[in-house]
Amino acid sequence: MSTLGELSPDELQRRLRGPGLRLRTGPVVNCVRSSLDEVAEGLALHYAAHPLSAEDGFADFHVQVDRPLNWRRWMKPQAVFRFDGETPFAPLPGAQGFPMLEWGLNWCVSAHCHQYLIVHAAVLARGEHALVLPAPSGAGKSTLTAALALRDGWRLLSDELALFDPATGELVPLARPISLKNASIEVIARLAPEARMGRVVRETVKGRVTHVQPPPDAVRDMDRGARPRWVILPRYRAAAPARLQRIPRGQAFMRLVDNAFNYPVHGARGFEFLADVVQACDCHEFEYGDLGEALQCLAQLEASPDG
């Protein structure tokens, strides 16, 4: 199976502007169309290791990021996300085309892949054991995820969406770019200068935003799930010492529920499944102000006999 990185720039543009680029990300295939150069640039950088499906093959999601079909194509250009020809979101300024694609692909999964119980959380794995980091925006989740994946050898499963499979009890990988914003961009650039970052997009609803290419090994292993082992509730606080504190499993359960996109869809089975997940996990709150200290603290957690 070929990868996106094997396509020439001309062939990538042909597919994006024509039949669509069928890109596999974990358990889903996305058919992506766009005439925007920044979208092609972002895909070429961040998805180079991802496998492609046949041009005439099945796709779970058909999406498009392009200019609107009115005067805003030329004056103060905008970017519009389309899903099956519909526009579920308001347009964004034109330079935000690639972030809009990323946010749109997250929405596609969280709104439609109900075979999974989906939680707003980062997921990384060490061997067959998974670390789940459920947190709202601004808690430092993505910064910590980037540090663990790029500098500490953890396998990235997902930066944004934890896909719990009730049928197997495993977390299903969705290895896509890691999103960074504002001060986190410079923090990760200093910590991991080898990280491949895209262009910084300014004045988004989240401030300055960029994306980091997922480690190629994580992409190659995106068919290998992992079993939940730790649930860590992260919180960044400037100048705070790294502190890991065990919490009751009921508290961790409620955090997972609070961050779930489709918990009501799964009903009683979802309740029982998440209860089993936290029962099998060691659950902690984690406050940190320095990434170096944070990595050392989590390494001690992994090495301790009782997890």
Side-chain angles (χ1 to χ4, degrees):
M1 182 178 294
S2 62
T3 63
L4 191 153
E6 296 173 31
L7 298 182
S8 68
D10 287 346
E11 177 62 13
L12 175 59
Q13 290 278 8
R14 183 191 72 79
R15 296 195 189 191
L16 287 173
R17 294 169 184 259
L21 179 79
R22 280 167 168 75
L23 180 69
R24 190 163 78 83
T25 56
V28 300
V29 175
N30 310 284
C31 179
V32 182
R33 298 181 67 239
S34 180
S35 63
L36 304 186
D37 290 341
E38 60 266 28
V39 171
E41 174 189 293
L43 287 167
L45 171 63
H46 296 301
Y47 288 93
H50 281 74
L52 301 176
S53 294
E55 284 191 60
D56 58 351
F58 173 81
D60 297 276
F61 305 123
H62 292 259
V63 302
Q64 183 176 1
V65 179
D66 259 315
R67 301 287 182 232
L69 302 176
N70 57 28
W71 61 273
R72 296 304 291 268
R73 292 178 66 88
W74 300 280
M75 296 182 64
K76 296 184 178 179
Q78 294 178 323
V80 176
F81 179 86
R82 295 188 177 91
F83 171 78
D84 285 348
E86 302 295 326
T87 54
F89 316 119
L92 294 178
Q96 299 181 28
F98 184 73
M100 189 173 216
L101 174 64
E102 286 298 299
W103 298 331
L105 292 178
N106 286 339
W107 173 82
C108 287
V109 173
S110 62
H112 299 91
C113 291
H114 296 313
Q115 67 270 40
Y116 307 116
L117 198 158
I118 306 172
V119 176
H120 182 217
V123 186
L124 303 108
R126 191 75 96 181
E128 305 307 315
H129 296 149
L131 165 65
V132 184
L133 299 166
S137 180
K141 166 181 63 64
S142 292
T143 312
L144 185 59
T145 298
L148 289 167
L150 298 170
R151 300 303 292 164
D152 212 34
W154 288 77
R155 176 166 62 99
L156 176 70
L157 273 69
S158 178
D159 170 46
E160 286 288 336
L161 302 176
L163 306 183
F164 289 92
D165 186 351
T168 65
E170 290 192 335
L171 285 148
V172 176
L174 188 68
R176 289 184 26 227
I178 301 170
S179 175
L180 298 177
K181 60 181 182 291
N182 301 319
S184 294
I185 299 171
E186 287 74 31
V187 168
I188 294 301
R190 289 193 298 270
L191 181 74
E194 75 282 4
R196 302 197 65 189
M197 294 188 183
R199 64 170 73 182
V200 177
V201 180
R202 302 176 186 276
E203 299 181 355
T204 77
V205 294
K206 301 183 180 183
R208 294 184 301 127
V209 171
T210 192
H211 289 82
V212 182
Q213 183 191 78
D217 288 350
V219 178
R220 286 192 286 269
D221 282 345
M222 68 182 182
D223 292 325
R224 181 162 64 98
R227 194 161 292 275
R229 177 67 178 85
W230 305 276
V231 176
I232 306 292
L233 314 184
R235 181 177 62 187
Y236 170 80
R237 188 165 64 87
R243 183 176 63 89
L244 193 67
Q245 181 175 342
R246 193 177 293 271
I247 60 172
R249 289 186 170 91
Q251 184 178 341
F253 175 88
M254 290 309 302
R255 180 64 68 88
L256 289 171
V257 171
D258 288 344
N259 284 277
F261 289 97
N262 63 346
Y263 178 71
V265 172
H266 289 263
R269 187 183 181 199
F271 172 86
E272 294 169 359
F273 174 73
L274 279 188
D276 288 342
V277 167
V278 297
Q279 187 62 37
C281 287
D282 293 297
C283 305
H284 297 78
E285 284 183 332
F286 182 51
E287 184 175 79
Y288 74 97
D290 177 82
L291 274 178
E293 287 185 9
L295 297 182
Q296 291 177 7
C297 191
L298 291 180
Q300 293 171 8
L301 169 70
E302 183 194 3
S304 65
D306 60 354

